[in-house]
Amino acid sequence: MKEWYFSNNGEISGPLGLADSNKFIASNPDVYAWHPSYAQWVPVSHVEEFDIIVSPPPPPAEIPQQLIERFTAKERELNSALGRIDNTLKTINSSMSDIGRDSNRYKITTKELNEKVEATLRSVNEQYAALQKTLSGVG
């Protein structure tokens, strides 16, 4: 004869034979069962040997129409807000692209101007050195 142990909110009962187990389960349908051939505690509803009738849960309550309408209105409002955010992000992306393009153009212009300034300074320095040489020979 198989002997069963039961756990009801951490309180262990047993060992009980099958007939006594079925009586115990009748008044405690939400307990866990175990016997030495099991590796772990199992809900009694999963043990085929017990005479337990699992009644299906009650159907869900019908959702009130007013709640559905409020939810739908809120969903439309959120979708509208998301549309505005999406349009704003597109505008920002376009502006960032324009800024990037302008920034690259300014970098190129700055580089070209720096090269011209450096060339002009070299020329001025060369002319200054030549004038210095000429003036040193005059005096």
Side-chain angles (χ1 to χ4, degrees):
M1 176 168 110
K2 218 181 228 185
E3 291 187 321
W4 292 91
Y5 293 85
F6 298 93
S7 174
N8 187 7
N9 291 325
E11 184 179 320
I12 307 297
S13 300
L16 300 174
L18 185 58
D20 288 333
S21 293
N22 282 323
K23 287 178 189 173
F24 181 81
I25 293 167
S27 60
N28 301 289
D30 296 325
V31 297
Y32 285 78
W34 178 84
H35 70 81
S37 67
Y38 280 51
Q40 59 192 18
W41 293 90
V42 179
V44 293
S45 61
H46 289 74
V47 179
E48 293 180 11
E49 294 179 49
F50 298 139
D51 295 331
I52 184 169
I53 298 172
V54 178
S55 57
E62 187 174 324
I63 299 173
Q65 187 61 35
Q66 181 183 12
L67 186 59
I68 293 171
E69 289 169 0
R70 284 189 2 222
F71 176 81
T72 305
K74 189 66 169 175
E75 182 180 31
R76 279 193 301 272
E77 182 183 321
L78 290 172
N79 282 332
S80 175
L82 285 174
R84 289 190 305 272
I85 290 169
D86 190 45
N87 288 337
T88 300
L89 288 174
K90 287 177 183 174
T91 301
I92 290 171
N93 282 335
S94 176
S95 296
M96 293 299 290
S97 180
D98 290 345
I99 290 170
R101 196 172 38 256
D102 290 347
S103 176
N104 285 335
R105 203 170 39 233
Y106 294 144
K107 283 181 190 176
I108 292 169
T109 302
T110 302
K111 182 180 177 188
E112 291 172 353
L113 288 173
N114 281 340
E115 290 170 357
K116 288 180 182 178
V117 167
E118 287 173 1
T120 302
L121 284 174
R122 268 192 308 277
S123 174
V124 166
N125 283 333
E126 289 170 2
Q127 290 175 12
Y128 178 75
L131 284 173
Q132 286 281 3
K133 197 178 204 181
T134 305
L135 288 175
S136 64
V138 171

